Amino acid sequence: MRADDNLTVERPTFVTHLECSQTGEHYPADRVHNLSRAGKPLLVRYDLGGVRKALTKDALAARPPDFWRYRELLPVRQVKDIVSLGEAMTPLVRMPRLERELGGAEIVVKDEGRLPTGSFKARGLALAVSMAKALGIEHMAMPTNGNAGAALAAYASRAGIRTTIFCPDDTPEVNISEIALQGAAVYRVNGLIDDCGKIVGEGKAKVGWFDTSTLKEPYRIEGKKTMGLELAEQLSWDVPDVIFYPTGGGTGLIGMWKAFAELEAIGFIGSKRPRMVAVQAAGCAPMVKAYDDGVEHAPRWENAHTIASGIRVPQAVGDFLILRAVRESGGFAIAVSDDAIEAAVNEVARREGFLMCPEGGATYAAYKQSLVDGRVSRTERVVMFNCASGLKYPMPRIERRLDRSGPIDYAAL
Ligand SMILES: *Cc1c(COP(=O)(O)O)cnc(C)c1O
C-alpha cells in the first residue's frame, strides 16, 4: 500500500443514476444537475449488488485511511478528477470523565475539526468540487454561514474553479477571512443564509453560476455520507445506539442515514440503526417544531438567532428527508438554548481538555437534556459530532497579566 493509493489507483465505480428524493423520478448520471423537476434534492443511486461483489471489508481495511477509500460508494469516476487536501479519517474520542460524572454509558465524540479547512464541510465540498471538475463546471456560487464557503473556496481553488460566496453580515470574521484567503470572491449580505441563497439563484439565472447550495447540488450528501461509512468501520462494522447531530440543512444526517442503508445492502452491517437525534438551537429550531407538530415540512423560522452559526438555517430544502430519517430511526429532534451551548463548550473544555465548536457543544447539551428527560437512557452508547474545530470560533478575551519586573508571588499563581 502507498499512502496516496486512494488518489492514484483507478477503481470500479457503480453510480447508475440519480433519483428525485420525493417522486423517485430518475435522472441520468454524469450530467450537471441541481434540484429535481419537483424542486427536491436528487439522491445518487448505485448498483449495490455490483459493489457487494467488488468490495470486501478486508480490501477496504488495506487501503490508506482517508474517505476516498470508499470509492466504490462514491460518484467520482476517475482519479484525475479527485480534488483532495488530505481528508484524514476523523478520530472517535472517548469522554471518560464526563461518562463518570453523568453516570452514563460510553460517550464518544467524532471529531470532525481535524478535516481540511477545520470542519466537516470539507467532506461535502471535496465531493461537490471533484464532480464539478469532472463535469466541466467553471464558476461555483454559494450562500454560507461560513464553514461551507471556506471548504468550497479551498477545494475550488485547488481545482482551478472560480467561486463567488455570500455570507450573512454577522458571519464569524475568521470565516470571511479564510474564504477570501483561499481564493474566493466573498460578500457580506445584510440578511440570513436563505436571503444569500436567493442571490445565488438569481446569479445562476442571469450569469450561469453553478448553485452549490446545501442539497441543491447532489454530491455534497455523498461526501457527508462518508461520516456514516467511517463511523461504522471504526466501530468494527457496527453502529452506535444513538447519534446526536447538530442539524442545519441536514446534509450529514441525511447522508449518514443513506450510508447505513447502503452498508446493509452490501452486507457490511445488519439491520440495526442508530436512533438519529436532530439537535438545533432554541433560537432556530424549525425541525424541532415540525417534529413536535408531526408534520413533514418545516415552515421558515423567523428571526433566527444563535451563537451556533453553522446550524442557523431558517428553512431547509431537505426538511422532509431529515424528519423521515429521525422518525424512521426512532430518534427525535431537540432544541437547546445558547446558554446551554456555551455551558457545554466550557464544561467539555475544562473537564476533558477538548475544545468543541458551539454546534458540537449543542450536541453535548442535548445529550445531557435527553438523559434528564429520559429520552436517552444511561445504557445507550452515544456518538456526538463535533463538526468543526473550536479554534474557528470567537473565544473569551483573557485579561490576566503578569509584571515580570516586580516580585512574583509564585505560591499565588
Ligand atoms: C454546516 C454545519 C452544521 C450543520 O450541518 P448540516 O449537515 O448542513 O446540517 C453544523 N455544524 C457546523 C460547524 C457546520 O459548519
Side-chain angles (χ1 to χ4, degrees):
M1 171 183 92
R2 286 177 36 143
D4 64 351
D5 270 3
N6 295 339
L7 310 180
T8 55
V9 178
E10 298 292 354
R11 305 203 190 278
T13 62
F14 294 89
V15 176
T16 52
H17 61 282
L18 285 73
E19 192 179 289
C20 173
S21 55
Q22 173 152 299
T23 66
E25 187 187 358
H26 286 201
Y27 292 79
D30 308 305
R31 308 268 172 79
V32 176
H33 294 293
N34 285 111
L35 292 173
S36 72
R37 272 179 278 274
K40 299 298 175 201
L42 288 175
L43 299 174
V44 181
R45 294 300 181 203
Y46 299 81
D47 165 17
L48 294 171
V51 177
R52 193 182 180 120
K53 288 199 200 91
L55 189 63
T56 64
K57 291 178 183 178
D58 288 344
L60 207 48
R63 294 181 186 172
D66 64 59
F67 70 54
W68 298 103
R69 70 208 260 110
Y70 307 111
R71 267 298 286 300
E72 286 84 346
L73 288 170
L74 292 175
V76 186
R77 303 277 194 196
Q78 299 177 56
V79 288
K80 72 173 174 50
D81 294 321
I82 292 180
V83 187
S84 168
L85 286 163
E87 295 72 23
M89 286 177 88
T90 62
L92 297 178
V93 184
R94 283 280 294 271
M95 296 290 145
R97 291 186 73 177
L98 300 177
E99 287 171 10
R100 277 199 301 278
E101 285 166 16
L102 294 179
E106 238 177 88
I107 305 177
V108 177
V109 176
K110 190 155 172 65
D111 187 15
E112 298 282 299
R114 319 285 181 104
L115 284 159
T117 71
S119 88
F120 67 5
K121 291 295 194 298
R123 294 185 188 268
L125 274 310
L127 265 294
V129 172
S130 296
M131 289 306 291
K133 184 178 173 194
L135 297 170
I137 289 168
E138 290 172 356
H139 193 161
M140 302 172 84
M142 177 194 269
T144 175
N145 282 320
N147 288 326
L152 174 62
Y155 284 96
S157 290
R158 198 166 170 85
I161 295 173
R162 237 179 109 185
T163 44
T164 305
I165 293 175
F166 303 92
C167 306
D169 51 13
D170 59 350
T171 299
E173 202 56 45
V174 62
N175 291 130
I176 310 273
S177 303
E178 62 178 329
I179 291 169
L181 263 175
Q182 288 162 177
V186 58
Y187 298 89
R188 295 173 201 268
V189 176
N190 53 341
L192 290 177
I193 188 165
D194 48 355
D195 301 308
C196 296
K198 281 193 203 104
I199 299 174
V200 170
E202 281 172 29
K204 175 184 169 174
K206 291 213 159 75
V207 294
W209 293 338
F210 180 76
D211 185 346
T212 321
S213 305
T214 304
L215 298 186
K216 292 188 181 167
E217 182 286 336
Y219 302 106
R220 286 175 64 183
I221 293 188
E222 296 305 295
K224 283 281 196 80
K225 181 179 88 178
T226 62
M227 288 192 290
L229 304 176
E230 222 176 87
L231 181 60
E233 187 177 7
Q234 286 171 314
L235 297 177
S236 307
W237 302 112
D238 194 3
V239 294
D241 296 320
V242 189
I243 289 179
F244 280 82
Y245 186 79
T247 306
T251 333
L253 196 149
I254 297 164
M256 282 193 279
W257 194 241
K258 185 170 187 283
F260 299 138
E262 291 175 359
L263 286 176
E264 184 179 0
I266 67 168
F268 278 30
I269 64 170
S271 58
K272 180 188 166 185
R273 292 288 182 277
R275 297 203 289 137
M276 306 295 287
V277 179
V279 178
Q280 298 203 298
C284 181
M287 294 306 139
V288 181
K289 179 161 190 330
Y291 175 80
D292 290 342
D293 291 349
V295 296
E296 252 225 309
H297 289 282
R300 186 173 196 268
W301 187 275
E302 299 303 329
N303 304 316
H305 61 89
T306 167
I307 54 169
S309 46
I311 51 175
R312 192 179 59 173
V313 179
Q315 189 156 34
V317 58
D319 52 3
F320 64 108
L321 298 172
I322 299 170
L323 291 159
R324 210 178 274 171
V326 165
R327 289 185 176 123
E328 276 178 23
S329 74
F332 54 93
I334 178 171
V336 290
S337 70
D338 275 13
D339 285 349
I341 292 174
E342 230 169 286
V345 170
N346 282 331
E347 184 181 335
V348 179
R350 282 166 191 280
R351 309 301 288 159
E352 295 282 9
F354 189 102
L355 188 63
M356 288 183 139
C357 61
E359 298 81 0
T363 63
Y364 178 60
Y367 174 59
K368 285 179 73 172
Q369 203 165 299
S370 308
L371 279 181
V372 171
D373 67 22
R375 289 208 269 187
V376 171
S377 85
R378 286 187 160 73
T379 57
E380 288 179 295
R381 181 197 222 183
V382 173
V383 170
M384 30 192 110
F385 277 82
N386 183 51
C387 1
S389 165
L391 294 172
K392 292 186 82 171
Y393 293 78
M395 280 177 266
R397 221 185 127 71
I398 306 302
E399 297 294 352
R400 187 186 288 154
R401 290 179 181 281
L402 187 69
D403 179 7
R404 70 183 172 85
S405 58
I408 296 174
D409 180 0
Y410 284 95
L413 295 183

